[in-house]
Structures are given as structure tokens and as C-alpha cells.
Short mmCIF file of all heavy atoms in Angstrom, two decimals:
data_model
loop_
_atom_site.label_atom_id
_atom_site.label_comp_id
_atom_site.label_asym_id
_atom_site.label_seq_id
_atom_site.Cartn_x
_atom_site.Cartn_y
_atom_site.Cartn_z
N PRO A 1 77.55 17.12 31.29
CA PRO A 1 78.94 17.42 30.76
C PRO A 1 78.84 17.99 29.37
O PRO A 1 79.69 18.92 28.95
CB PRO A 1 79.49 15.98 30.69
CG PRO A 1 78.85 15.28 31.79
CD PRO A 1 77.44 15.79 31.82
N GLU A 2 77.78 17.68 28.49
CA GLU A 2 77.68 18.26 27.22
C GLU A 2 77.25 19.72 27.15
O GLU A 2 77.21 20.35 26.11
CB GLU A 2 76.69 17.42 26.35
CG GLU A 2 75.34 17.18 27.02
CD GLU A 2 75.33 15.84 27.69
OE1 GLU A 2 76.25 15.36 28.32
OE2 GLU A 2 74.24 15.09 27.51
N ASP A 3 76.93 20.30 28.40
CA ASP A 3 76.64 21.69 28.51
C ASP A 3 77.94 22.44 28.66
O ASP A 3 77.89 23.82 28.69
CB ASP A 3 75.80 21.96 29.71
CG ASP A 3 74.33 21.39 29.58
OD1 ASP A 3 73.80 21.50 28.49
OD2 ASP A 3 73.94 20.85 30.58
N THR A 4 79.10 21.89 28.81
CA THR A 4 80.39 22.53 28.87
C THR A 4 80.62 23.41 27.63
O THR A 4 80.65 22.83 26.53
CB THR A 4 81.49 21.46 29.12
OG1 THR A 4 81.32 20.87 30.35
CG2 THR A 4 82.82 22.18 29.05
N ALA A 5 80.86 24.64 27.78
CA ALA A 5 81.09 25.61 26.68
C ALA A 5 81.34 26.94 27.18
O ALA A 5 81.22 27.19 28.37
CB ALA A 5 79.89 25.57 25.75
N LEU A 6 81.78 27.75 26.29
CA LEU A 6 81.92 29.25 26.55
C LEU A 6 80.50 29.83 26.18
O LEU A 6 80.06 29.68 25.05
CB LEU A 6 83.07 29.80 25.77
CG LEU A 6 83.36 31.33 26.07
CD1 LEU A 6 83.80 31.46 27.42
CD2 LEU A 6 84.44 31.75 25.04
N TYR A 7 79.94 30.50 27.15
CA TYR A 7 78.62 30.97 26.99
C TYR A 7 78.63 32.55 26.70
O TYR A 7 79.25 33.25 27.42
CB TYR A 7 77.68 30.70 28.24
CG TYR A 7 77.20 29.25 28.25
CD1 TYR A 7 78.11 28.25 28.57
CD2 TYR A 7 75.85 28.98 28.13
CE1 TYR A 7 77.73 26.92 28.63
CE2 TYR A 7 75.44 27.74 28.18
CZ TYR A 7 76.32 26.66 28.41
OH TYR A 7 75.81 25.41 28.47
N TYR A 8 78.01 32.82 25.64
CA TYR A 8 77.90 34.25 25.22
C TYR A 8 76.50 34.86 25.34
O TYR A 8 75.55 34.28 24.98
CB TYR A 8 78.35 34.47 23.74
CG TYR A 8 79.77 34.08 23.44
CD1 TYR A 8 80.01 32.74 23.10
CD2 TYR A 8 80.79 34.95 23.50
CE1 TYR A 8 81.31 32.34 22.72
CE2 TYR A 8 82.08 34.55 23.18
CZ TYR A 8 82.37 33.26 22.86
OH TYR A 8 83.66 32.93 22.57
N CYS A 9 76.51 36.08 25.78
CA CYS A 9 75.31 36.88 25.77
C CYS A 9 75.24 37.77 24.59
O CYS A 9 76.30 38.34 24.22
CB CYS A 9 75.24 37.73 27.08
SG CYS A 9 73.89 38.92 27.18
N GLY A 10 74.04 37.84 23.90
CA GLY A 10 73.90 38.65 22.76
C GLY A 10 72.74 39.56 22.80
O GLY A 10 71.78 39.25 23.54
N ALA A 11 72.78 40.65 22.16
CA ALA A 11 71.72 41.62 22.15
C ALA A 11 71.37 42.13 20.78
O ALA A 11 72.35 42.19 19.94
CB ALA A 11 72.12 42.83 23.02
N ARG A 12 70.11 42.20 20.44
CA ARG A 12 69.65 42.74 19.10
C ARG A 12 68.69 43.86 19.39
O ARG A 12 67.72 43.82 20.06
CB ARG A 12 68.98 41.56 18.42
CG ARG A 12 68.56 42.10 16.97
CD ARG A 12 67.23 41.35 16.64
NE ARG A 12 66.51 42.19 15.62
CZ ARG A 12 66.74 42.02 14.27
NH1 ARG A 12 67.56 41.08 13.84
NH2 ARG A 12 65.98 42.68 13.46
N THR A 13 69.05 44.99 18.63
CA THR A 13 68.11 46.10 18.59
C THR A 13 66.86 45.80 17.98
O THR A 13 66.82 45.07 16.90
CB THR A 13 68.85 47.31 17.83
OG1 THR A 13 70.08 47.55 18.38
CG2 THR A 13 68.00 48.57 18.03
N THR A 14 65.73 46.08 18.67
CA THR A 14 64.42 45.80 18.08
C THR A 14 63.44 46.83 18.51
O THR A 14 63.44 47.33 19.61
CB THR A 14 63.98 44.39 18.57
OG1 THR A 14 62.71 44.06 17.88
CG2 THR A 14 63.88 44.30 20.08
N TYR A 15 62.54 47.16 17.61
CA TYR A 15 61.34 48.04 17.90
C TYR A 15 60.16 47.16 18.35
O TYR A 15 59.18 47.69 18.79
CB TYR A 15 60.97 48.79 16.69
CG TYR A 15 62.05 49.82 16.25
CD1 TYR A 15 62.99 49.61 15.30
CD2 TYR A 15 62.24 50.93 17.04
CE1 TYR A 15 63.88 50.49 14.90
CE2 TYR A 15 63.20 51.87 16.74
CZ TYR A 15 63.99 51.67 15.65
OH TYR A 15 64.97 52.60 15.32
N TYR A 16 60.27 45.87 18.13
CA TYR A 16 59.12 44.99 18.43
C TYR A 16 59.49 44.20 19.71
O TYR A 16 60.17 43.14 19.72
CB TYR A 16 59.02 43.98 17.35
CG TYR A 16 58.76 44.66 15.92
CD1 TYR A 16 59.75 44.73 15.00
CD2 TYR A 16 57.59 45.33 15.74
CE1 TYR A 16 59.63 45.35 13.86
CE2 TYR A 16 57.37 45.98 14.52
CZ TYR A 16 58.38 45.99 13.57
OH TYR A 16 58.22 46.63 12.37
N THR A 17 59.05 44.72 20.80
CA THR A 17 59.46 44.18 22.18
C THR A 17 58.94 42.87 22.45
O THR A 17 59.28 42.29 23.45
CB THR A 17 59.17 45.17 23.24
OG1 THR A 17 57.61 45.39 23.21
CG2 THR A 17 59.77 46.49 23.09
N GLY A 18 57.98 42.32 21.51
CA GLY A 18 57.43 41.01 21.79
C GLY A 18 58.17 39.94 21.05
O GLY A 18 57.80 38.77 21.26
N TYR A 19 59.17 40.26 20.30
CA TYR A 19 59.86 39.37 19.48
C TYR A 19 61.13 38.80 20.19
O TYR A 19 61.77 39.54 20.89
CB TYR A 19 60.25 39.97 18.14
CG TYR A 19 59.18 40.09 17.18
CD1 TYR A 19 57.81 40.08 17.59
CD2 TYR A 19 59.41 40.36 15.89
CE1 TYR A 19 56.75 40.32 16.66
CE2 TYR A 19 58.36 40.67 14.92
CZ TYR A 19 57.13 40.62 15.31
OH TYR A 19 56.12 40.79 14.38
N TYR A 20 61.51 37.56 19.92
CA TYR A 20 62.80 37.03 20.18
C TYR A 20 63.45 36.57 18.95
O TYR A 20 62.84 36.36 17.96
CB TYR A 20 62.66 35.89 21.29
CG TYR A 20 61.75 34.74 20.86
CD1 TYR A 20 62.17 33.87 19.76
CD2 TYR A 20 60.52 34.56 21.44
CE1 TYR A 20 61.27 32.82 19.46
CE2 TYR A 20 59.64 33.51 21.02
CZ TYR A 20 60.08 32.73 20.03
OH TYR A 20 59.22 31.66 19.63
N TYR A 21 64.73 36.31 19.03
CA TYR A 21 65.53 35.96 17.88
C TYR A 21 66.49 34.80 18.20
O TYR A 21 67.06 34.79 19.39
CB TYR A 21 66.40 37.15 17.42
CG TYR A 21 65.43 38.29 17.04
CD1 TYR A 21 65.11 39.25 18.01
CD2 TYR A 21 65.02 38.42 15.72
CE1 TYR A 21 64.32 40.26 17.73
CE2 TYR A 21 64.15 39.58 15.41
CZ TYR A 21 63.76 40.47 16.45
OH TYR A 21 62.97 41.52 16.18
N TYR A 22 66.61 33.82 17.42
CA TYR A 22 67.42 32.61 17.67
C TYR A 22 68.53 32.32 16.75
O TYR A 22 69.24 31.37 16.86
CB TYR A 22 66.51 31.39 17.91
CG TYR A 22 65.63 31.10 16.69
CD1 TYR A 22 66.10 30.30 15.72
CD2 TYR A 22 64.39 31.70 16.60
CE1 TYR A 22 65.28 30.02 14.61
CE2 TYR A 22 63.53 31.28 15.58
CZ TYR A 22 63.96 30.45 14.59
OH TYR A 22 63.22 30.22 13.44
N LEU A 23 68.67 33.24 15.76
CA LEU A 23 69.75 33.03 14.81
C LEU A 23 70.89 33.99 15.12
O LEU A 23 70.72 35.15 15.45
CB LEU A 23 69.28 33.31 13.39
CG LEU A 23 68.19 32.44 12.77
CD1 LEU A 23 67.73 32.88 11.42
CD2 LEU A 23 68.60 30.99 12.87
N GLU A 24 72.10 33.48 15.09
CA GLU A 24 73.31 34.14 15.56
C GLU A 24 73.42 35.46 14.70
O GLU A 24 73.82 36.49 15.30
CB GLU A 24 74.53 33.27 15.42
CG GLU A 24 75.79 33.93 15.84
CD GLU A 24 77.03 32.96 15.67
OE1 GLU A 24 76.81 31.74 15.40
OE2 GLU A 24 78.18 33.39 15.98
N ASP A 25 73.18 35.43 13.50
CA ASP A 25 73.39 36.49 12.68
C ASP A 25 72.47 37.73 12.87
O ASP A 25 72.58 38.79 12.44
CB ASP A 25 73.27 36.11 11.16
CG ASP A 25 74.32 35.21 10.63
OD1 ASP A 25 75.39 35.12 11.40
OD2 ASP A 25 74.33 34.64 9.55
#
């Protein structure tokens, strides 16, 4: 039940295809 939420997909332009990002900004 705590997973209940509006889920958003985000994209970040990157030249480093091995990186991930976890900050909203």
C-alpha cells in the first residue's frame, strides 16, 4: 500500500552512457 503514488518518468541528457542519476534536479 505504501507504493501508492503518482509515478513519473524522467530523462536526463548525458554524454556518459554508463551513468545513472538519482536526484530530481
Side-chain angles (χ1 to χ4, degrees):
E2 50 264 44
D3 294 318
T4 295
L6 188 60
Y7 282 70
Y8 294 93
C9 174
R12 178 213 158 89
T13 308
T14 181
Y15 293 102
Y16 306 104
T17 58
Y19 286 14
Y20 54 74
Y21 302 88
Y22 56 88
L23 298 179
E24 184 178 352
D25 291 347

